[in-house]
Every structure is written in structure tokens, then in C-alpha cells.
Amino acid sequence: MSSHDSILRVGMVGYAFMGAAHSQAWRTVNRVFDLPARVRMALVCGRDEPKVAEAADRLGWDGYTTDWRRLVESDEIDVVDICTPGDSHREIALAALAAGKHVLCEKPLANSVAEAREMTEAAARAQASGVRAMCGFNYRRVPAVALMRQLVADGRIGEIRHVRAVYLQDWIVDPQFPLVWRLQKDRAGSGALGDIGAHIIDLTQYVTGQLITGVSALTETFVRQRPLVAGSSGLAAQADGNGSATGQVTVDDAAVFVARLDGGALATYEATRFATGRKNALRVEINGSRGSVVFDLERLNELEFLDATRPAAEQGFSRILVTEPEHPYLGAWWPPGHIIGYEHSFTHQARDFVEAVATGADPAPSFADALQVQLVLDAVTRSAERAAWTEVEPALAEASA
């Protein structure tokens, strides 16, 4: 089947940072990959009409609306892409699934376990009618991460003993940085934990094929009051310097926890937005009985791999340049050695989603997978509150089926 045989008409809610990344993916995916359906960027939604009109034109959408319900209910939309703050994920996703739309929802899936369970149950019901739902953990789609998973699954590092994961940023180190939505619990659900900690939780569970079963955690909020600035949002907001009106930060600035995986490995995690000098530093190292493998997002075209089965005199970490056509996703891109970037992970995400929807396959990560991440986030929060080891709650039977 050629990519011209069917059309998937996409409606996207939200047009800021993630909306721009998703738009780039929708614009590009059919120009790179031969897929069984062609994407049409039909409609984008935002509350501010002048801004969403400008975004529609700049990002390549056919039209815009200020009412997400109109988008969800439209007969001209097949896919609803949710790129909004976490407090609206549940309502939009439930409405979209009820309307028979396929759903791609940004991470974390929801602001609470209860919301995530409800969304997962709705996705399971919709699946019976051929409706597909996926959560957007884009780092799974970095080719080096996909190769890392292959090496682990093929037994190249043996029995997993240690998982070491950090995600470090510094964009709110300045106490005069404004109180944007990501610093408000009612909008974001949590702080560094849900924003970037969710990524390393999902990535490590994906790569190892093992689930986190229990945690012991600490969280901290270093700056508890921040300036109120009208209209500020996202990572690029700036304080106006007045500092007169302030509001309370209601999320964590940093979270650290140790964990046990169901395969017996010990794991450590750190997520912070106060690592001065670190802009977007995600690093995962896995140590096994036969070797080790390391991924660093700031060198996303590379893996470090150590094969401990080689003679001791020949051992050492080797650099794998992940740009060969045999590597995941890369056969569609450039000749070997020509590197790709952050935005390509979203194009690969769109590729996998379109292919799953068009062929009737189940996309991953599913809402059930995202619920598992939410359960870990919840256990970390409860552990930090109690200063005690905390078991991760089991997922719903329907979600794990």
C-alpha cells in the first residue's frame, strides 16, 4: 500500500514547545518514510486566537480553532494530538476516544494515578473499536536508545545488575525566573519528577524490559516563591525584573530516588532543574554481568559499549556511531556518519504512530505503559513524603492485559 492510499487528518491541541516539535514531525514524516497513510495537518487549537492563528501559519496547519471540543468532535479529524499542560490531558483524551479519534498524548499521561487509570481504561475500551492511543515518550525513538534496547535484549551485557539514570537541567536556577505553569502543581502535576523524571523512568524500563517495583525517594523545592509575570509560559519565559508580585511554587525542583527492578537490578535516578550549567543532560548507564552500555543525550548519535567477554587486555568502552542504515530508523535518512538531532525523535514517533494506526497494530508506549510510569511517579512522591521505602502499586488488570 502506498502512502497515498489513505489520509490521516490530524488535529493538535497546543502549539508551544511540544506543539512545535510535533508539528515538525507531522510535516516531515511522509517526506522521509514510506508509510501506509499520509498525514494531513488539518487543525491546531489554542486559547489565544491571534497567537494560534500565527502558529497555524508558521507551523504548517490548514486551519485553527480556539475550542478543543470543536476539534475533537469534528468529522474532519481522525487523530487528536494532545500537547497541552497535564491538567487538561484527561478531559481531552477521554472526549477524543469517545468520539472515535486516535490519540497521541504527551507525557506524563496525566496529573494523577486516578486520571491515568481512567484514561487507560478508556483507551482499552476504544481499542476494541479499532481506536488506537499512544503516549509520547519521544526518547524511545532516538536510534541509539533503540539500539541500546536491542543490545540488552540480545544478552550482550548479560544479567542486569545496575541502572544509573540522570536528567539534569538548569532553566529555573535564577530565583527571578517567573512562576510558569510547569511550577504549579494544579497545572503540571509535579515538577522535575514528572517533567523529566518521567522520561528516564520510561527509558530505563523500555531499554531493560524490567519494571520498577519499589523506591526510596527525596524531593526538594529550592525556590519556593517566584515572580508573577502575566503571559509567561514554558521554558523561554523571562521575569520582568520587578519582583513585586510573587506566587508559591507548588512542585518539586529536584527528585532523587533509589529503586529495585523486577529482574533484581538496583537503580538510581536523579531529576533536577537546578543542575547549574546542565541544559538538557540525560544519561543512562546499564551495568551487566557480561558488559555495560551508556547513552548520553548530548551525544545522541553515539553509544558507549563494553564487552566484558573479551580478553582483559582488550577490554574498554568503545564508541558506536549510530548512523548506519542497519541501525533503527536510520535507513530512511542520510549516508553513514551524517548525524541526526533531537527533532528526529519526534518524526520517528510520528512514523511509528501512523504505521500502527494505519495497519491496526497496537502502538507503544500505550496508555497502559504510561500508567506504569505514573504509578512510579506516585510511589516516588509518597516515599518522599513518608521518608520510607514504598512499593509501586500494581497496574489495573485491564491495563496489563
Coordinates of all heavy atoms in Angstrom, one line a residue, residues 22 25 68 91 102 109 120 128-129 166 182 191 205 273 287 314 320 340 344 351 359 373 377 390:
H22 N 6.0 18.5 17.6 CA 5.1 17.6 17.0 C 4.8 18.1 15.6 O 4.7 17.3 14.6 CB 3.8 17.5 17.8 CG 4.0 16.6 19.0 ND1 3.1 15.6 19.4 CD2 5.0 16.5 20.0 CE1 3.5 15.0 20.5 NE2 4.6 15.6 20.9
A25 N 7.3 17.1 13.2 CA 7.3 15.7 12.9 C 6.2 15.4 11.9 O 6.4 14.6 10.9 CB 7.0 14.9 14.2
W68 N -11.1 23.4 21.8 CA -10.7 22.0 21.6 C -11.8 21.0 21.4 O -11.7 20.0 20.7 CB -9.7 21.5 22.7 CG -10.3 21.4 24.0 CD1 -10.3 22.2 25.1 CD2 -11.1 20.2 24.5 NE1 -10.9 21.7 26.2 CE2 -11.4 20.5 25.9 CE3 -11.5 19.0 23.9 CZ2 -12.2 19.6 26.6 CZ3 -12.2 18.1 24.7 CH2 -12.6 18.4 26.1
E91 N -9.3 15.2 30.2 CA -10.5 15.7 29.6 C -10.5 15.6 28.1 O -11.4 15.1 27.5 CB -10.9 17.1 30.0 CG -12.2 17.6 29.6 CD -12.6 19.0 30.1 OE1 -11.7 19.7 30.5 OE2 -13.8 19.3 30.1
H102 N -8.2 8.5 17.1 CA -7.0 8.0 17.6 C -6.3 9.1 18.4 O -6.4 10.3 18.0 CB -6.1 7.6 16.4 CG -6.7 6.6 15.5 ND1 -7.0 5.3 15.9 CD2 -7.2 6.8 14.2 CE1 -7.6 4.7 14.9 NE2 -7.7 5.5 13.8
L109 N 1.3 11.0 31.2 CA 0.0 10.8 30.7 C -1.1 11.7 31.4 O -2.0 12.3 30.7 CB -0.4 9.4 30.9 CG -1.8 8.9 30.3 CD1 -1.8 9.1 28.8 CD2 -2.1 7.5 30.6
T120 N -6.5 5.0 30.7 CA -6.1 3.7 30.3 C -7.3 2.8 30.0 O -7.3 2.1 29.1 CB -5.1 3.1 31.3 OG1 -4.0 3.9 31.5 CG2 -4.7 1.7 30.8
A128 N -11.1 -1.8 21.3 CA -12.0 -2.8 20.8 C -12.7 -2.4 19.6 O -13.2 -3.2 18.8 CB -13.0 -3.2 21.9
S129 N -12.8 -1.1 19.4 CA -13.5 -0.5 18.2 C -12.4 0.0 17.1 O -12.8 0.7 16.2 CB -14.3 0.7 18.6 OG -15.3 0.3 19.5
V166 N 20.2 9.8 35.0 CA 20.1 11.2 35.5 C 19.5 12.0 34.3 O 19.7 11.7 33.1 CB 21.4 11.8 35.9 CG1 22.0 11.0 37.1 CG2 22.4 11.9 34.8
R182 N 4.7 25.2 34.6 CA 5.4 24.0 34.9 C 5.8 24.0 36.4 O 6.3 23.0 36.9 CB 6.7 23.8 34.1 CG 6.4 23.5 32.6 CD 7.6 23.4 31.8 NE 7.4 23.2 30.4 CZ 7.3 22.1 29.8 NH1 7.4 20.9 30.5 NH2 7.1 22.0 28.5
G191 N 6.9 18.5 39.5 CA 7.9 19.4 38.9 C 8.9 18.6 38.1 O 8.5 18.0 37.1
Q205 N 13.0 1.5 31.8 CA 12.1 0.4 31.8 C 12.0 -0.2 30.4 O 12.0 -1.4 30.2 CB 10.7 0.7 32.3 CG 10.7 1.0 33.8 CD 9.3 1.2 34.4 OE1 9.1 0.7 35.5 NE2 8.4 1.8 33.7
R273 N 16.0 20.4 37.9 CA 16.1 21.6 37.1 C 16.9 22.7 37.7 O 16.9 23.8 37.4 CB 14.6 22.1 36.8 CG 13.8 21.0 36.1 CD 12.4 21.5 35.6 NE 11.5 21.8 36.6 CZ 10.1 21.6 36.5 NH1 9.7 21.1 35.3 NH2 9.3 21.9 37.4
N287 N 24.8 -1.6 33.8 CA 25.9 -2.5 34.0 C 25.4 -3.9 34.1 O 24.5 -4.1 34.9 CB 26.7 -2.1 35.3 CG 27.2 -0.7 35.3 OD1 26.9 0.0 36.3 ND2 27.8 -0.2 34.3
E314 N 42.1 -6.5 26.2 CA 41.4 -5.8 25.0 C 40.1 -5.1 25.5 O 39.5 -4.5 24.6 CB 41.0 -6.9 24.0 CG 42.2 -7.6 23.4 CD 41.7 -8.7 22.4 OE1 40.5 -8.8 22.1 OE2 42.6 -9.5 22.0
I320 N 30.2 3.5 19.6 CA 29.5 3.1 18.5 C 28.8 4.3 17.9 O 28.0 5.0 18.5 CB 28.4 2.0 18.8 CG1 29.0 0.8 19.5 CG2 27.6 1.6 17.6 CD1 28.0 -0.2 20.0
I340 N 22.0 12.9 13.1 CA 20.7 13.5 13.2 C 20.6 14.2 14.6 O 21.5 14.2 15.4 CB 19.6 12.4 13.1 CG1 19.7 11.3 14.2 CG2 19.6 11.8 11.7 CD1 18.5 10.4 14.2
H344 N 14.4 14.6 15.3 CA 14.2 13.4 14.6 C 13.4 12.4 15.5 O 12.7 11.5 14.9 CB 15.5 12.8 14.1 CG 16.2 13.6 13.0 ND1 16.8 14.8 13.3 CD2 16.3 13.5 11.7 CE1 17.3 15.3 12.2 NE2 17.0 14.5 11.2
R351 N 6.2 8.4 12.8 CA 6.2 7.3 11.9 C 5.6 6.1 12.6 O 4.8 5.4 12.0 CB 7.7 7.0 11.6 CG 7.9 5.7 10.8 CD 9.3 5.1 11.1 NE 9.4 3.8 10.4 CZ 9.1 2.7 10.9 NH1 8.5 2.6 12.1 NH2 9.2 1.5 10.2
T359 N -2.2 0.3 10.1 CA -2.2 -1.2 10.0 C -3.0 -1.9 11.0 O -3.2 -3.1 11.0 CB -0.8 -1.7 10.0 OG1 -0.2 -1.4 11.3 CG2 0.0 -1.1 8.9
V373 N 4.4 4.2 34.3 CA 5.3 5.3 34.7 C 4.6 6.2 35.7 O 5.2 6.6 36.7 CB 5.6 6.2 33.5 CG1 6.5 7.4 33.8 CG2 6.4 5.3 32.5
L377 N 5.9 7.4 39.5 CA 5.9 8.8 39.9 C 5.2 8.9 41.2 O 5.6 9.6 42.2 CB 5.3 9.7 38.9 CG 6.0 9.8 37.5 CD1 5.1 10.7 36.6 CD2 7.4 10.4 37.6
T390 N 8.9 2.5 49.5 CA 7.5 2.5 49.1 C 7.3 1.6 47.8 O 8.1 1.7 46.8 CB 7.0 3.9 48.7 OG1 7.2 4.7 49.9 CG2 5.5 3.9 48.3

